[in-house]
Amino acid sequence: MTSINEAFLSDFSSMSSIGSTAGGGVDRQAATVADGQNRNWFRGLVEGHGFSVRYDSVGNQYAMLELVPGAPWIAVGSHLDSQPLGGRFDGAYGVLAGAHAAKRVEAALVFAKETARFNIVVINWFNEEGCRFKPSMMGSSVYAGKISAAQVLETTDPHGITVREALEAIGTIGDFELSVSAYVEIHIEQGRSLEDRALNIGLVESTWGANKYEFVVNGDQAHTGATIIADRQDALLGASALVVAAREIALKHSTAEHMVITSCGEFNVFPNSPVVVASRVNLLVDVRSTDPGVLAAADADLHARVGQIERMANVRIERGAEHVWGAKSYDRAGLKLAGEAADSLGLSHGVVRTLAGHDSTNMKDVVPTIMLFVPSVEGISHNERELTRNEDMIAGVELLSEVLLRVVKGEFISDSDPTQELATDTTVGA
Amino acid sequence: MTSINEAFLSDFSSMSSIGSTAGGGVDRQAATVADGQNRNWFRGLVEGHGFSVRYDSVGNQYAMLELVPGAPWIAVGSHLDSQPLGGRFDGAYGVLAGAHAAKRVEAALVFAKETARFNIVVINWFNEEGCRFKPSMMGSSVYAGKISAAQVLETTDPHGITVREALEAIGTIGDFELSVSAYVEIHIEQGRSLEDRALNIGLVESTWGANKYEFVVNGDQAHTGATIIADRQDALLGASALVVAAREIALKHSTAEHMVITSCGEFNVFPNSPVVVASRVNLLVDVRSTDPGVLAAADADLHARVGQIERMANVRIERGAEHVWGAKSYDRAGLKLAGEAADSLGLSHGVVRTLAGHDSTNMKDVVPTIMLFVPSVEGISHNERELTRNEDMIAGVELLSEVLLRVVKGEFISDSDPTQELATDTTVGA
């Protein structure tokens, strides 16, 4: 298998040059020029190998490899968009691995003189990262019916450009629709549990529960030089205290069994002038935990702290949009199938939970879904220094090929009813 | 005097329409289109009343009213630039008041058949606010020899535009030079001590000491979803803790006699994406006090806290540029002259200190300087709701006219040596 693995690494290297940054990462935020270059590059790559490519109304890109005319479709995918100064593996690895795996499945079927029961579509979901346009996981959220295409198309970036305008500018929007019967995704772990346990592969058992809040801290604009402390309504002080409180809550509520993780990634100060007490800060805070009870306790604590901070900083804190995801499991039969496939290839593996959201987080709520992880060196992610070693990438492509082969042969879901119900209860815990 | 006061209010109202904002303030940041409109409007206004207008190499605007050909010059001034969403009084009031006062002095001399010993120049100092281009008090700092014109001209705004380019774009740069023998400024208080004491006028005795620091908090970019707390080097957490610590230090070190005020007005997060742990935050922190000993203790405490925060948030905090101003007094003879002038007009007055920096903070270090305040309603400043009542503005113009009349008649400084030394020790306290 040497030459096909080299082909994968070569294609990955070519793709990584698109939107590349000086620090060894990429900047291919959703529907930017660089994302457009990459989407069109990927189209050229796979059309050269017999796929046909279409776009749906929110820019999801479908690369179809038809193995059996008229058969239902199973999907493999991830996302080609990146964070600003992001790593070159996050998402992009999974899409390219999907295309290579699909070709390997086709070749394996020919070699074994077997017939598939499903066709394969590789999906590049639009805007998984959610930095230029919010929220994240936009394309797969529309596919899963969680938000409407109309709402997505009107969403604007900080310069007032809509998703529709941005997608039209790079020529990657259409009206294609495709119903798929199952979903498989491979992604870098973005944590270090696989590396710490010296495993080749992570089989994702469940997502963590996450509560995300948009807070608006309202103070009153004043002169930093002339306004005494007693007269201040300092929005930046209130917002800063909220960031500090969020960390304190993570440390306080984490237990040996169930970790709590709190984050604030976006924090905008107005008017943000050196000599002005801030009138307003908008910030996003999220609270995550593997356990619903622990999450609820941490969340209640956060909201109690909001009242204390309002009094301390003499500000008013509004809670804006809120997104709540319960901890949910992936398909149990898929977990078993992937473990057996890894065993057949001699790859070490273990069960993991995903802290981060992925397109599969959406897809698992509408079709049977399998989610696989490959290791990230030191767990570094959303960073130009993000790294997955070549041997780990290759092991991942080999496993994905084996899993896909089993799925298209009907070992995961039946092809008799492509709209079948989810096989297992998807709620974890209480 | 009704008609000349109405003329002042009418001119002030016209000026306030330039760069006006929906909230009743103005946005005329230094060397923007709106600042250019205002500078040229002011030139037209005063040239219509016999002044001649020139610009120096860093865009300071000189409006000269020559009373006695060949006599030395005394200056009156302030600044026409504003904060983004700033008030319409801050700086602009003082410049317009200076022009009106100069004309009243000219008329009073004619009426009394007296001859002036000085000429009057009204100076609109470039970029007092320091929001688009840093540092603040830029034009008067060059005049006072504290920074070089070359350095100022190369300073860039956040879009990479230099001061030179911005001044050329609005046509308000030249090569004029003028040496002045004394300086008088009137400004809104931007605090509420005059209002609280029901006084018409504040006579500024001294500046507060201020230490300003640019901190850079360095963390490591990571995925907010996937990175566990133990692995985080969260720059936003470190910077937030610094903002909270600064407030704690102000409260801890303030005494009944000497207040400590700490502020953070500018706070920039990188990369500032919703799902990314911040790699870097740049923030400005300042510590002010009326007492040098109290200031030194608060400052030492702040720097001790930096080390604790580095360990707590697992970040590295660099201290960048630093600006330190000792508490300094204004000219004692000027304070006496202004008090007597106010008494002659029946205006109530009291001694105040200025927490904020002003162009006079620079000028007092190079020539004998008088600084006057008029009340600000509720002390609100750097805010569209900033307000000084018409009667207080008019009382200020009347006092400024009386003070200027005394100064041009030689009652403040002698005209025998226009380069004379400062009369008093300018250091307050230890």
Side-chain angles (χ1 to χ4, degrees), chain A residues 44-221:
Chain A
L45 180 82
V46 297
E47 288 191 344
H49 286 90
F51 292 71
S52 60
V53 175
R54 297 287 181 280
Y55 295 95
D56 71 15
S57 66
V58 294
N60 293 316
Q61 183 178 28
Y62 299 78
M64 289 164 287
L65 188 66
E66 194 171 50
L67 303 173
V68 187
W73 294 83
I74 63 107
V76 58
S78 195
H79 60 96
L80 291 182
D81 71 309
S82 83
Q83 289 289 322
L85 300 182
R88 57 196 195 276
F89 302 88
D90 181 352
Y93 166 68
V95 176
L96 191 65
H100 276 258
K103 288 302 291 182
R104 292 186 189 189
V105 166
E106 182 184 45
L109 291 167
V110 169
F111 184 79
K113 299 193 171 66
E114 290 182 300
T115 305
R117 299 170 71 172
F118 294 91
N119 291 306
I120 304 176
V121 56
V122 183
I123 305 181
N124 163 25
W125 298 106
F126 176 65
N127 188 26
E128 195 271 350
E129 296 290 1
C131 29
R132 180 177 177 196
F133 298 102
K134 294 181 192 62
S136 59
M137 305 187 285
M138 197 174 244
S140 56
S141 292
V142 172
Y143 188 92
K146 297 183 179 182
I147 53 177
S148 73
Q151 179 191 335
V152 160
L153 291 169
E154 287 167 12
T155 300
T156 53
D157 74 3
H159 301 289
I161 301 191
T162 63
V163 164
R164 183 195 295 278
E165 289 164 345
L167 283 170
E168 284 173 350
I170 58 173
T172 65
I173 184 167
D175 58 5
F176 184 67
E177 290 183 11
L178 184 71
S179 178
V180 304
S181 306
Y183 181 68
V184 183
E185 180 167 352
I186 193 163
H187 201 281
I188 59 166
E189 184 188 13
Q190 305 178 291
R192 58 178 191 187
S193 85
L194 296 177
E195 188 178 60
D196 287 352
R197 294 189 278 166
L199 297 175
N200 300 123
I201 296 293
L203 308 177
V204 183
E205 179 199 55
S206 66
T207 56
W208 285 40
N211 297 353
K212 297 196 182 193
Y213 303 102
E214 295 182 29
F215 286 107
V216 184
V217 181
N218 296 288
D220 197 22
Q221 191 169 323

Side-chain angles (χ1 to χ4, degrees), chain B residues 384-413:
Chain B
E384 292 171 299
R385 290 184 289 108
E386 180 183 274
L387 178 65
T388 292
R389 298 188 199 284
N390 285 349
E391 55 270 33
D392 288 325
M393 286 208 285
I394 287 167
V397 176
E398 290 175 345
L399 175 62
L400 183 63
S401 304
E402 180 63 28
V403 168
L404 272 188
L405 180 62
R406 293 174 185 225
V407 174
V408 301
K409 286 163 73 175
E411 295 178 22
F412 181 36
I413 55 163

Side-chain angles (χ1 to χ4, degrees), chain A residues 314-332:
Chain A
N314 195 15
V315 295
R316 194 168 46 78
I317 302 180
E318 293 167 53
R319 202 172 82 187
E322 178 183 333
H323 303 276
V324 174
W325 294 277
K328 283 195 176 172
S329 69
Y330 283 85
D331 191 285
R332 301 291 160 94

Side-chain angles (χ1 to χ4, degrees), chain A residues 83 190 192 220-223 225-226 231-232 261 263 265 267-268 272-273 275-276 288 355 381-383 385, chain B residues 83 190 192 220-223 225-226 231-232 261 263 265 267-268 272-273 275-276 288 355 381-383 385:
Chain A
Q83 289 289 322
Q190 305 178 291
R192 58 178 191 187
D220 197 22
Q221 191 169 323
H223 189 304
D231 285 351
R232 294 187 180 202
I261 294 191
S263 304
F267 188 103
N268 291 305
N272 205 26
S273 174
V275 291
V276 175
R288 303 176 194 224
L355 259 165
S381 183
H382 283 191
N383 186 308
R385 290 185 289 107
Chain B
Q83 289 289 323
Q190 306 177 291
R192 57 177 192 188
D220 196 22
Q221 191 171 323
H223 188 304
D231 285 352
R232 295 188 180 201
I261 294 190
S263 303
F267 188 102
N268 291 304
N272 205 26
S273 173
V275 291
V276 176
R288 304 175 193 225
L355 260 165
S381 183
H382 284 191
N383 185 308
R385 290 184 289 108

